[in-house]
Amino acid sequence: MVEVKLHDIGEGMHEGEVIQFFVKAGDTVKIDQPLVEVQTDKVTAELPSPAAGTIKDIKVKEGDVVTVGSVILTIEASSSEPSDKKAEEPANVQVQPVVDKIVAAPKNTVFAGGIATLNKRVLAAPFTRKIARENGVDIEQILGTGPGGRVTDQDVYNFIENGSASPVKEKAADHTADDSKTEAPSYTSKGSEEIPFKGRRKQIAKKMVQSLATIPHVTHFEEIDVTAVMDLKKQLKTMDPENKRGMNVSVAAFFVKAIQIALKDFPIFNAKLDEEKEVIRLEKNVNIGIATDSDEGLIVPVISHVEQRNVRDIAVDMKDKITRAKTNKLKGSDMTGGTFTISNVGPLGSIAATPIINHPEVALMAFHKTKKTPVVVGNEIVIRSMMNVSMSFDHRVADGATAVMFTNRVKELIENPYFMTLELI
């Protein structure tokens, strides 16, 4: 008997939600045939069959949240298995290799009931598919409005309300031609709508509560003139109009590099507090997490070893990981090891915030909306591109004065981006 378990698949990931089964008890399966789809707070993956045989028993049901080490189902291995295979040894099913297979798999293959069929692949998150399935909606009939035609949760709800599942409108009652009487209008109560609080949304909530309950947050605000760095970005693009050398560098990549250089001067913010051992661990590597909004909630891919990388390399890696975060294609290794986090919410229009620190890190900096503002330079009033930043830090680890000096150093580097060239290895 072969046991299929949920194994440890990454830092801080202790449980996963069973999204859907592709098989049922009594089904015959082949090696590597998808059995079940599982979603953790960071990845969504299909677990393949480690052996050929018959599904003997399914231990959990769709929607259950299972912990690492839990048996999800058992398979009675077929007699055609190699004679030297020990059937009594449980199979170790790792989710991460499965994620790699999903990314490399042909996009036009859809698994239905464990059988591969060639249909048009509908882009939709597992939770979105679950909403459609529970409401009896064929997700292939929905026109996606998300990036790349992706079907969003709201698309499904709109289809339920306005599509084939829309409520039947009551016929208006016939009225006599007596215009002298005016009846009060009648209204139909629409009730409420419930969204399951589980999966990634629940994991995000747990981490936010843990961070706020553990860390005494203090937020410091500053204003930065980004005119020079935006001009430098334009100059780099103009130097290579055809972009053959990848000179189209995002402004956010300069922000990341500026933070890394400032962390070298103020390593207390590139640290983690170990209360049990009563030590503050200063991390040597600078691994900066990029808070990214996706259809399934907040995801934080990590740009590793920033201290060893130039601005262009940072920009390329950041663009790749943000794109994969939005399409749910990140690996577990892409989201672990962070030492400091940034949140670039400016494109969304934010002007200020008090961000929550990504525990167990000790600081987070948010970059807000850039707008042209009249400012005094010397004795003249000029128009400059100004941006607000907010930095939340753990007051157990650092003091306010240190946070102000750190932010001032970041400000100096962004306002004078050529200073960063002096810090190159």
Side-chain angles (χ1 to χ4, degrees), residues 225-422:
D225 185 344
V226 295
T227 305
V229 74
M230 294 181 72
D231 287 344
L232 177 57
K233 170 184 165 60
K234 293 177 183 178
Q235 291 173 23
L236 291 172
K237 189 174 182 180
T238 303
M239 288 170 60
D240 189 2
E242 297 182 0
N243 200 28
K244 292 180 180 179
R245 298 174 55 196
M247 301 298 284
N248 188 13
V249 179
S250 68
V251 174
F254 287 97
F255 297 165
V256 170
K257 192 62 181 178
I259 286 176
Q260 176 264 308
I261 295 172
L263 288 173
K264 185 170 63 173
D265 298 331
F266 299 90
I268 194 65
F269 295 113
N270 195 56
K272 294 178 182 178
L273 173 61
D274 190 332
E275 291 186 271
E276 186 175 335
K277 295 183 179 180
E278 298 183 330
V279 296
I280 299 173
R281 186 176 299 108
L282 302 180
E283 301 291 346
K284 298 298 183 181
N285 297 328
V286 178
N287 304 327
I288 297 185
I290 312 296
T292 305
D293 184 42
S294 73
D295 288 344
E296 297 182 30
L298 183 67
I299 303 177
V300 187
V302 176
I303 311 300
S304 301
H305 302 288
V306 178
E307 75 281 1
Q308 301 175 29
R309 307 169 82 164
N310 59 40
V311 175
R312 183 169 57 185
D313 184 36
I314 294 169
V316 171
D317 194 14
M318 185 186 307
K319 181 179 179 180
D320 170 66
K321 285 180 177 171
I322 289 176
T323 299
R324 289 194 285 124
K326 291 181 178 296
T327 55
N328 203 28
K329 292 182 179 178
L330 287 174
K331 302 176 183 178
S333 58
D334 293 328
M335 298 175 283
T336 57
T339 60
F340 189 100
T341 297
I342 72 167
S343 178
N344 187 22
V345 292
L348 300 178
S350 168
I351 60 172
T354 54
I356 298 176
I357 299 168
N358 188 17
H359 183 274
E361 298 169 16
V362 300
L364 180 151
M365 183 172 285
F367 298 91
H368 302 283
K369 180 181 179 180
T370 298
K371 59 181 180 180
K372 291 187 179 296
T373 305
V375 297
V376 177
V377 178
N379 293 321
E380 298 181 350
I381 297 177
V382 296
I383 302 299
R384 307 289 288 181
S385 295
M386 305 301 294
M387 175 187 69
N388 293 337
V389 298
S390 54
M391 176 185 170
S392 292
F393 63 95
D394 188 338
H395 214 332
R396 300 172 302 174
V397 177
D399 297 324
T402 309
V404 171
M405 288 187 288
F406 170 77
T407 307
N408 286 343
R409 177 59 170 151
V410 174
K411 173 185 173 80
E412 178 186 41
L413 291 164
I414 293 176
E415 291 187 342
N416 304 277
Y418 294 102
F419 285 2
M420 296 187 199
T421 60
L422 303 177

Side-chain angles (χ1 to χ4, degrees), residues 23-89:
V23 295
K24 61 182 182 298
D27 284 357
T28 300
V29 296
K30 300 178 181 179
I31 294 178
D32 288 336
Q33 178 177 324
L35 301 175
V36 60
E37 185 176 53
V38 177
Q39 175 179 292
T40 71
D41 61 327
K42 295 183 177 179
V43 296
T44 300
E46 295 173 352
L47 274 61
S49 176
T54 304
I55 302 298
K56 189 66 175 177
D57 188 19
I58 296 179
K59 304 288 187 180
V60 297
K61 60 182 181 297
E62 292 180 355
D64 284 355
V65 176
V66 296
T67 57
V68 169
S70 300
V71 178
I72 296 178
L73 57 83
T74 57
I75 302 173
E76 185 175 1
S78 63
S79 58
S80 60
E81 289 288 296
S83 58
D84 60 344
K85 181 177 179 65
K86 296 181 180 180
E88 67 276 12
E89 294 183 358

